[in-house]
Amino acid sequence: MMSQFLENVDKTRIEALNAFKEVADLEALEKARVEFLGLKSKITELSRTLGTLPKNERPSAGQAVNKAKTLVTQAHHHALARLEAAKERSDYLDVTLPGRPPLAGHKHLISQTMAEICRIFAKLGFSVVEGPEVETDYYNFEALNFPPDHPSRDMQETLFVSEKLLLRTHTSPVQIRTMEKTKPPVWVVAPGKTYRRDDDITHSPMFHQVEGLVVDKGITMADLKGVLTAFAAAFFSPETKIRLRPSFFPFTEPSAEVDIRCVLCQGQGCRLCKGSGWLELLGSGMVDPALYKFVGYNPDEVSGFAFGLGVDRAAMLKYGLSNIRHLYEGDLRFLRQF
Ligand code: FA5
């Protein structure tokens, strides 16, 4: 009789605990409460039948019923807490609202400009190469025909890492590194970061250049002008005119600064071009044969041209930016326009 009673208690407890675990809403919970803990529930019924047991069995049977009652009551409390928390969450979670898309970023204007420049030169038959930003004195100056202690080194305000190691002041060292590794013909562009002790509205201590280098048979200044005219037409607009102005670089002879017809006034003279009608874009020239000596090329067999284009400058001209610092301040109101 006793074992039958205890079996019933166990069965009822298990049934009740399962029921509370599974209830999905407050209405179902209330139904389960009435069924398993209410006045007419099985547990109450079992308490009532305690009196029918032999006297000596009543204490342990009573304990079993009470324990079951406590466990079932706890299960009811847990289920209630679970359902109320879920209700609270659903009160402020309006699942019918449209989703919030995550903020998608995009390439920085400098990266876009650099990629566009490389794309244009790739169409003209150039390959893209790269070099290190921490450079040796040899590649940044010496092999580019800057004699030690020559005043031309002063034009590039250099940031030194140690006596013979520096942050490259231009991408021109990649010319030497490329020629050391490859035999002519060479048609390459080398994009990358460059560093100088410069800081004003058109100069930044860290900026970007794209170097160009062509070494092949029978290359003349006409090729240099043709390639840069095609570049200016593709990058700015088909009508863009360029002019070559005599200049000096130790690694090119002759050398030329390349200007474009002012993008704002089309050559009439304005605030942007300071009345001249022209804007400086890059430095260039015919590769000085002295360089071929450093890399083992024969100057009687090949000739070439090179140029170094300021990417930040190109972006400022193309998009009419008044201050180079806009490119580096990380202000999303500015950056999102491009
Ligand atoms: C050079 O750096 C040469 N290596 C270019 C060259 C390459 C000449 C190959 C001949 C053959 P320059 O110092 O003028 O030249 O710099 C080239 C361009 O870099 C400038 O026209 C300008 O657009 C840009 N530039 C120079 N300094 C800064 C700076 N601090 N911030 C932003 N742009 C700069």
Side-chain angles (χ1 to χ4, degrees), residues 37-296:
L37 293 168
L39 283 178
K40 290 184 186 157
S41 69
K42 284 186 192 161
I43 290 186
T44 316
E45 199 56 40
L46 282 166
S47 303
R48 276 200 202 109
T49 58
L50 274 175
T52 64
L53 294 174
K55 228 175 184 176
N56 61 339
E57 290 176 358
R58 282 181 210 161
S60 53
Q63 262 176 21
V65 176
N66 281 341
K67 195 168 172 210
K69 218 180 201 169
T70 311
L71 288 174
V72 174
T73 309
Q74 275 174 2
H76 170 254
H77 287 163
H78 286 150
L80 184 63
R82 169 170 60 83
L83 293 173
E84 279 182 343
K87 183 168 184 303
E88 205 172 291
R89 272 200 305 277
S90 67
D91 279 349
Y92 62 76
L93 180 74
D94 183 350
V95 292
T96 63
L97 283 174
R100 288 189 203 116
L103 271 183
H106 64 73
K107 278 194 178 160
H108 189 278
L109 181 58
I110 289 292
S111 307
Q112 292 178 36
T113 308
M114 198 116 88
E116 190 187 354
I117 294 170
C118 289
R119 223 175 10 248
I120 294 169
F121 283 110
K123 278 192 192 159
L124 293 169
F126 288 72
S127 336
V128 178
V129 292
E130 283 183 319
E133 288 170 32
V134 176
E135 194 44 287
T136 60
D137 182 275
Y138 178 78
Y139 286 110
N140 197 78
F141 292 124
E142 205 177 321
L144 286 167
N145 206 26
F146 286 83
D149 304 319
H150 193 273
S152 58
R153 290 188 178 213
D154 290 349
M155 281 161 48
Q156 308 205 349
E157 299 266 6
T158 311
L159 297 159
F160 283 90
V161 174
S162 64
E163 201 186 336
K164 289 281 172 203
L165 221 49
L166 44 86
L167 297 181
R168 66 177 178 192
T169 56
H170 50 177
T171 42
S172 300
V174 189
Q175 289 188 33
I176 304 295
R177 289 182 175 277
T178 306
M179 289 193 281
E180 276 180 349
K181 276 189 274 195
T182 11
K183 296 239 163 309
V186 173
W187 289 72
V188 292
V189 281
K193 290 188 169 62
T194 43
Y195 304 83
R196 287 184 202 177
R197 209 174 136 272
D198 266 351
D199 197 7
D200 60 38
I201 60 163
T202 54
H203 294 85
S204 160
M206 191 275 289
F207 59 105
H208 300 78
Q209 289 188 341
V210 172
E211 192 79 8
L213 174 69
V214 172
V215 184
D216 208 335
K217 287 204 166 97
I219 297 292
T220 70
M221 208 132 183
D223 298 301
L224 166 65
K225 193 167 181 185
V227 163
L228 293 178
T229 305
F231 165 75
F235 184 76
F236 294 104
S237 70
E239 311 79 49
T240 309
K241 297 244 173 327
I242 67 166
R243 76 170 182 189
L244 273 64
R245 191 161 37 82
S247 183
F248 171 78
F249 296 102
F251 39 96
T252 45
E253 182 60 34
S255 304
E257 300 281 352
V258 176
D259 300 337
I260 57 164
R261 179 65 65 79
C262 180
V263 285
L264 200 63
C265 67
Q266 305 306 329
Q268 301 306 302
C270 70
R271 185 179 44 87
L272 184 64
C273 60
K274 298 194 183 86
S276 72
W278 297 92
L279 295 164
E280 185 189 317
L281 183 62
L282 55 89
S284 69
M286 299 307 290
V287 178
D288 191 317
L291 264 60
Y292 297 142
K293 186 174 81 214
F294 286 94
V295 297

